[in-house]
């Protein structure tokens, strides 16, 4: 079975993909700085190398110790609000350090590359649902940084034959057993809703209710991380088996959006708890609606989301938050 190097394998989406890859019989090397990830989220069966993406020497060692067949690249900063406040941080981490990883791939003969991208690369498209051929015009530095790195992938294909798949996630959510969502200074809606339900946060602020949507709050396409993990596995299999395939990008979402208010209402029903809410101002950089057309992933990869109905998403996340009221506790 091939060995896959996973950057950011201690993070929310990375850790679940690592588990999924190992369950399918792959060997995995996790490369993570633990700056934002959690040591206890790393599957015990994986080899762990603690290192920064910008540390070329450490990367070289990780590549040299085993024969790496493919790279899955998750390590990145991923907060829209933070990116608006500190855009240079996003350019450095998500683009410049990513290029160091690509150079290492080139020099170590790794040609198969899976990139954790985002619907934020589309910005605020006029058309909904969003398909892959729509123009990518990001409206925040986070989306911009992910788009710039996608372009690096396409350039690397021309320059030295990299074959990459960019997976453009919509809103990753849900939990898988003991693996769940825990970000320092949490900004994501679903964990915050449950923190408010548990009382570890006094209340939740709705970031604006004057958007041009039916209830005035933003609409997002919530995709369960187990469905993201299966898409990664399928994309990896296609990269490793079809060596003539060109680089490409796929949207990963279910094609159905929920507003912030709908998510809160569903969470109230599932938890049976009060969830104190206050309407606050809009958060800079938030588009009103992001819903995926994911036909391409379904037809080309044979991907079918199976866990992404709102009820399953919220129940798995609620169960994780009840068992981990303080997250991973590190
Ligand atoms: N949101 C909110 N209050 C919060 C966190 C998020 O109203 O405390 C809204 C946010 O403005 C967006 C939606 O919930 O419209 C989803 O935000 P999240 O940060 O989870 O994901 P994003 O879409 O930014 O990737």
């Amino acid at each position: 079975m091939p060995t896959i190097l996973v950057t950011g394998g201690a993070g929310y989406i990375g850790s679940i993909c690592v588990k999924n890859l190992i369950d399918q019989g792959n060997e995995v090397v996790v490369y993570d700085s633990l700056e934002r990830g959690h040591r206890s989220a790393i599957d015990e069966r994986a080899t762990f190398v603690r290192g920064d993406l910008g540390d070329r020497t450490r990367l070289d060692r990780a590549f040299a110790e085993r024969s790496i067949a493919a790279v899955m690249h998750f390590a990145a900063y991923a907060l829209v609000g933070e990116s608006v406040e500190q855009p240079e941080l996003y350019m450095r981490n998500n683009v410049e350090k990513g290029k160091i990883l690509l150079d290492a791939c080139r020099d170590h003969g790794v040609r198969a590359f899976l990139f954790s991208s985002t619907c934020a690369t589309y910005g605020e498209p006029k058309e909904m649902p969003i398909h892959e051929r729509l123009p990518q015009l990001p409206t925040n530095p986070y989306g911009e940084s992910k788009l710039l790195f996608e372009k690096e992938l396409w350039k690397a294909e021309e320059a030295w034959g990299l074959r990459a798949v960019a997976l453009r996630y919509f809103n990753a959510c849900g939990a898988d057993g003991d693996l769940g969502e825990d970000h320092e200074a949490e900004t994501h809606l679903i964990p915050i809703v449950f923190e408010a339900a548990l009382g570890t946060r006094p209340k939740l602020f709705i970031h604006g209710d004057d958007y041009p949507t039916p209830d005035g709050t933003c609409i997002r396409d919530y995709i369960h991380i187990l469905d993201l993990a299966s898409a990664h596995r399928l994309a990896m299999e296609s990269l490793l088996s079809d060596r003539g395939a060109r680089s490409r990008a796929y949207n990963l979402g279910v094609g159905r959006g929920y507003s912030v208010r709908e998510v809160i209402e569903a969470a109230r029903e599932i938890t049976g708890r009060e969830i104190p809410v206050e309407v606050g101002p809009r958060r800079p950089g938030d588009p009103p609606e992001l819903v995926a057309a994911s036909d391409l992933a379904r037809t080309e990869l044979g991907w079918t989301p199976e866990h992404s109905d709102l009820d399953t998403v919220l129940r798995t996340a609620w169960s994780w938050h009840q068992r981990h009221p303080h997250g991973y506790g590190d």
Side-chain angles (χ1 to χ4, degrees):
M1 270 297 181
T3 300
I4 296 167
L5 184 125
V6 181
T7 75
Y12 173 44
I13 304 170
S15 63
I16 284 147
C17 288
V18 166
K19 176 172 178 277
N20 192 282
L21 282 173
I22 296 176
D23 287 345
Q24 302 297 319
N26 298 283
E27 300 267 330
V28 172
V29 175
V30 168
Y31 189 89
D32 198 300
S33 67
L34 296 185
E35 186 191 341
R36 296 198 171 181
H38 309 279
R39 180 69 183 88
S40 54
I42 302 173
D43 197 294
E44 285 175 358
R45 297 166 293 172
T47 303
F48 174 47
V49 178
R50 185 170 184 171
D52 191 275
L53 269 189
D55 184 345
R56 179 63 203 262
T57 313
R58 194 115 186 94
L59 269 179
D60 279 338
R61 240 189 294 151
F63 275 98
E65 271 167 19
R66 286 160 189 255
S67 161
I68 304 290
V71 165
M72 277 194 192
H73 178 38
F74 296 94
Y77 284 0
L79 302 177
V80 170
E82 180 184 62
S83 80
V84 173
E85 284 159 19
Q86 300 182 75
E88 66 297 338
L89 209 59
Y90 278 69
M91 294 307 132
R92 189 164 65 241
N93 267 287
N94 295 2
V95 188
E96 296 311 323
K97 288 188 181 180
K99 281 159 74 174
I100 294 173
L101 174 66
L102 278 185
D103 288 348
C105 287
R106 182 196 56 212
D107 297 346
H108 291 273
V110 177
R111 295 288 176 270
F113 195 98
L114 213 64
F115 174 51
S116 167
S117 190
T118 169
C119 62
T121 58
Y122 294 108
E124 300 187 17
K126 299 280 170 289
E127 237 179 272
M128 213 50 69
I130 300 166
H131 58 75
E132 290 85 350
R133 295 170 312 286
L134 284 178
Q136 288 176 288
L137 302 166
T139 50
N140 55 60
Y142 166 61
E144 179 71 29
S145 71
K146 289 283 183 172
L147 175 58
L148 287 172
F149 191 72
E150 280 193 8
K151 289 181 178 168
E152 291 300 323
L153 297 176
W154 318 143
K155 279 194 265 176
E157 175 172 33
E158 293 304 317
W160 51 272
L162 180 76
R163 286 169 319 105
V165 171
L167 295 174
R168 297 180 187 147
Y169 315 150
F170 281 63
N171 284 61
C173 53
D176 176 27
D178 274 328
L179 298 175
E181 187 168 11
D182 173 17
H183 300 104
E184 200 189 321
E186 189 58 73
T187 65
H188 291 103
L189 178 64
I190 292 176
I192 287 179
V193 164
F194 290 133
E195 287 171 13
L198 283 169
T200 53
R201 175 185 293 265
K203 65 177 138 182
L204 137 85
F205 287 92
I206 294 180
H207 298 321
D209 68 351
D210 58 350
Y211 284 95
T213 60
D215 69 14
T217 64
C218 290
I219 293 174
R220 295 289 181 272
D221 184 335
Y222 292 91
I223 178 86
H224 197 288
I225 29 126
L226 281 176
D227 288 329
L228 291 183
S230 68
H232 284 76
R233 187 170 43 74
L234 290 166
M236 185 54 71
E237 281 167 12
S238 101
L239 272 175
L240 292 176
S241 62
D242 181 3
R243 294 189 183 274
R246 299 276 301 175
S247 294
R248 56 215 188 271
Y250 297 111
N251 287 346
L252 298 179
V254 276
R256 157 81 161 97
Y258 291 93
S259 73
V260 173
R261 282 201 191 279
E262 285 174 319
V263 170
I264 297 168
E265 224 22 77
R268 283 191 175 125
E269 271 183 37
I270 284 169
T271 60
R273 300 207 184 184
E274 293 269 307
I275 300 179
V277 162
E278 189 177 318
V279 177
R282 289 184 179 196
R283 185 171 69 178
D286 273 347
E289 184 174 4
L290 294 170
V291 175
S294 57
D295 317 47
L296 210 58
R298 291 169 196 260
T299 52
E300 291 191 5
L301 296 176
W303 177 65
T304 313
E306 289 171 350
H307 306 271
S308 295
D309 56 285
L310 191 60
D311 195 62
T312 304
V313 160
L314 293 178
R315 281 184 197 284
T316 56
W318 175 230
S319 156
W320 190 82
H321 282 277
Q322 281 179 297
R323 283 180 289 116
H324 303 267
H326 304 289
Y328 284 101
D330 52 1

